[in-house]
Amino acid sequence: MRAVVYQGPYDVAVEEVDDPEIEHPNDVVVDITTSCICGSDLHMYEGRTAAEEGIVFGHENMGIVSEVGEAVSTLEEGDRVVMPFNVSCGFCQNCEEGYTGFCTNVNPGFAGGAYGYVAMGPYPGGQAEKLRVPYADHNALKLPEGREHEDAFSLLADIFPTGWHGTELANLESGESVAIFGAGPVGLMAAYSAKIKGAAEIYVVDQVPSRLELAEEHCDAHPIDFSEGDPVDQIIEEHGGMVDKGVDAVGYQATDPDDVDTDTEDYSYQPAKENPAVVINNLIRVVRPTGELGIPGLYVPEDPGAPDDMAAQGRLGIDFGKFFEKGLKCGTGQCNVKEYNRYLRDMIIEGRADPSWVVSHRVDLEEAPDMYEAFDAREEGVTKVLLEP
């Protein structure tokens, strides 16, 4: 079958790989109808992880069940399903308590598993024609038959639940104000989730005009362009003070707003301008005393391409004194997708949510290398890319 295979930094190719097979009675094999390129894939694509050549990418997957293991009891051939990016067993202590993103059985020595991601277990990704799904009764979420809501449902694998998770980590409540740093797919979904939850004011920080326009149009957010000045100062001036809650949807490859070239329209990734702690420190500054921060943005214990030795070890210069002084609270960690995906699915079915507006491209799998390059360059108009094997 065809699959997107990592060749090395800034290099992926569509190659022939072995078809997946049933390896355990609880497995199913899914014919992939949609697989998404995620911002987290870019960390591997850029060589910023320990990913080895040959890994098949793709942790955001949906499709049609084509083979069923003999122990599977809730799925049949022909069922349309979407899979959380988390691979989880369903019966370890963390899974039983709802923390499926931190399953202790599927990836020995590491809390959590995922498809097609470095250090997340032996599970090839779904940017391919087929995918093996382990613990399938637990991991596959059924969808209505047909092709309706294909784009929206594909986002249930990761970014819609993860955006929602960011607001949950911050304990965002109706009527509160929130600042969201990052207007990539997760940041936009966090802003959309905040709107659905009834946030009074939503501020979204980024430097890419098209992304800020989406936040304003679909999330009723106040766009804050950090290339035009300190985003904290901009928010406080517009809001009339600090906000109630904050969300970091950027992670460790954040760029410093004090070091942005405002004389260029090239918004491509610029490693020399990275400051891994800048977003967290800006949130500490902009959230009111006793407020809360949600950090779904990715941080890693090791970063081969870090801007300094401390960051290379996953250590950040956090303004913890100010954090303590303000009595702030903080929630972190990857999303437990199964905690939210069933409910978000039903909101889509009932017309109460439709996150598909974030999708900018749906292309054939063969176009994956070009789309990785465009997405990594933060090209205008490239927000969320769906691959169709």
Side-chain angles (χ1 to χ4, degrees), residues 41-324:
D41 292 326
L42 298 183
H43 302 306
M44 294 187 293
Y45 175 74
E46 294 169 357
R48 296 294 294 270
T49 71
E52 297 182 356
E53 295 178 15
I55 184 174
V56 176
F57 281 175
H59 58 268
E60 303 182 11
N61 308 304
M62 68 178 292
I64 307 297
V65 175
S66 59
E67 297 180 54
V68 181
E70 61 183 16
V72 175
S73 60
T74 63
L75 299 170
E76 299 177 348
E77 290 184 18
D79 283 345
R80 184 188 188 202
V81 293
V82 62
M83 280 64 67
F85 76 86
N86 320 113
V87 178
S88 55
C89 71
F91 53 79
C92 69
Q93 182 176 355
N94 279 347
C95 283
E96 286 184 342
E97 294 181 359
Y99 300 113
T100 54
F102 302 88
C103 177
T104 55
N105 279 333
V106 296
N107 189 13
F110 193 97
Y115 304 98
Y117 210 86
V118 59
M120 298 299 282
Y123 308 103
Q127 290 176 11
E129 294 179 295
K130 295 176 181 289
L131 177 73
R132 180 180 75 92
V133 179
Y135 303 100
D137 285 314
H138 170 70
N139 282 311
L141 178 69
K142 281 188 181 182
L143 302 169
E145 295 180 0
R147 292 281 296 183
E148 188 177 12
H149 305 305
E150 182 81 8
D151 288 2
F153 284 150
S154 71
L155 306 182
L156 293 173
D158 186 351
I159 66 164
F160 193 13
T162 296
W164 191 276
H165 183 59
T167 65
E168 288 288 298
L169 289 171
N171 287 317
L172 179 66
E173 297 183 2
S174 176
E176 291 186 321
S177 55
V178 61
I180 297 165
F181 281 71
V186 169
L188 290 171
M189 289 295 96
Y192 189 51
S193 299
K195 175 184 176 180
I196 292 171
K197 289 184 173 186
E201 289 189 83
I202 304 166
Y203 298 88
V204 175
V205 180
D206 206 288
Q207 64 167 336
V208 181
S210 60
R211 293 180 173 186
L212 291 171
E213 289 167 6
L214 286 173
E216 185 174 21
E217 178 181 357
H218 295 280
C219 308
D220 298 331
H222 301 272
I224 303 295
D225 186 339
F226 70 75
S227 70
E228 296 180 356
D230 188 316
V232 173
D233 291 344
Q234 292 185 62
I235 293 170
I236 289 176
E237 180 178 357
E238 187 167 344
H239 184 61
M242 293 180 240
V243 296
D244 298 308
K245 303 291 173 63
V247 174
D248 173 2
V250 179
Y252 74 108
Q253 287 185 257
T255 54
D256 194 333
D258 292 330
D259 192 22
V260 171
D261 183 358
T262 57
D263 295 326
T264 179
E265 293 185 1
D266 179 9
Y267 299 100
S268 60
Y269 168 65
Q270 302 176 56
K273 298 179 180 179
E274 281 190 20
N275 179 347
V278 68
V279 168
I280 295 177
N281 286 332
N282 279 337
L283 286 172
I284 291 171
R285 292 170 56 209
V286 80
V287 173
R288 66 173 174 81
T290 73
E292 299 182 62
L293 317 182
I295 306 179
L298 178 66
Y299 289 86
V300 293
E302 296 181 8
D303 176 8
D308 55 59
D309 291 341
M310 189 170 77
Q313 302 173 57
R315 299 177 179 180
L316 308 179
I318 302 299
D319 297 333
F320 193 79
K322 180 61 68 176
F323 182 88
F324 179 87

Side-chain angles (χ1 to χ4, degrees), residues 2-25:
R2 297 177 304 154
V4 177
V5 180
Y6 178 60
Q7 305 289 319
Y10 300 97
D11 186 8
V12 295
V14 179
E15 297 183 346
E16 287 292 326
V17 302
D18 292 338
D19 285 6
E21 298 179 348
I22 299 292
E23 299 179 14
H24 186 278

